Amino acid sequence: MNRIGWAFLGIFVLAGGLVVLLVDFGGSSARPVRIFANTPIGLADRPPSGQLVLPVRGVGWSSIRDSFGDARGGGERHHTGVDIMAPAGAPVVAAAAGTVEKLFYSKGGGGVTAYVRSPDRRVSYYYAHLAAYAPTLREGGRVRAGDPIGAVGDTGNAGAGNFHLHFGIEQIAPGDPWYRGRAINPYPLLARGRAER
């Protein structure tokens, strides 16, 4: 296949993923898939049910591994989240409720990113390497757990064709700006639900 064919295929896959993200086919309109069987997560921003939503729809647990702290960039930095491998364009949804604090593009980092701040402003959820934002997502807007954030991509330093969501959780002081959070390992918070499903 030539370059034009690959480009067309890529556009087709992204468009299909966005259609799936935006269209309700009737099968999942009741409630998003929940991870924690009413187990508190120990963070002040937990959804009312005390559960996080798996932030990529349609992936299994085999797509998640604990990569927090792994060396990156030849050991120059450490990974500050978990990578959830998924097909290009897979729907990314809010793991918990909050306010969209920042939509940001970082060419050498997370690429197309979104920061969602918890209602008490003490926790920030970080979604990176997105292909695109959901049309309804805007800075200052509120999201509920399971609401659309965007689509899985390979933007920033993900590497071409390395489609995944980098999902991070940061503790942050209520008055601090969006970029001052301290990364904590999100894997135990997500993996706790694996044994309870």
Side-chain angles (χ1 to χ4, degrees):
M1 187 180 298
N2 63 24
R3 286 184 176 174
I4 294 173
W6 282 110
F8 179 74
L9 180 62
I11 290 170
F12 180 77
V13 168
L14 284 174
L18 288 175
V19 167
V20 169
L21 178 69
L22 299 175
V23 175
D24 180 6
F25 292 102
S28 62
S29 61
R31 297 179 71 185
V33 175
R34 300 290 181 171
I35 301 301
F36 297 21
N38 294 320
T39 302
I41 62 174
L43 297 175
D45 71 321
R46 60 181 170 256
S49 63
Q51 302 170 343
L52 286 180
V53 171
L54 188 64
V56 180
R57 290 212 176 139
V59 299
W61 280 105
S62 61
S63 301
I64 304 172
R65 73 172 193 82
D66 189 355
S67 58
F68 186 83
D70 287 358
R72 294 289 195 266
E76 294 179 12
R77 58 189 169 80
H78 292 90
H79 198 226
T80 58
V82 295
D83 290 338
I84 302 174
M85 308 311 289
V92 174
V93 298
T99 300
V100 179
E101 186 153 285
K102 187 70 176 175
L103 301 179
F104 184 72
Y105 180 77
S106 171
K107 183 176 181 179
V112 178
T113 64
Y115 293 80
V116 176
R117 193 87 167 245
S118 64
D120 69 0
R121 301 189 49 79
R122 294 181 183 276
V123 177
S124 180
Y125 293 97
Y126 176 59
Y127 306 85
H129 306 310
L130 301 171
Y133 297 119
T136 55
L137 201 70
R138 62 178 171 69
E139 287 184 11
R142 303 188 105 196
V143 294
R144 293 171 300 160
D147 282 353
I149 295 291
V152 167
D154 63 353
T155 59
N157 63 8
N162 184 20
F163 298 106
H164 67 280
L165 171 70
H166 170 100
F167 177 66
I169 298 178
E170 299 178 347
Q171 291 180 327
I172 191 166
D176 281 351
W178 61 274
Y179 53 85
R180 288 273 170 96
R182 182 178 58 85
I184 62 172
N185 188 351
Y187 184 80
L189 303 176
L190 292 171
R192 189 178 305 162
R194 183 178 190 174
E196 296 171 0
R197 289 178 71 177

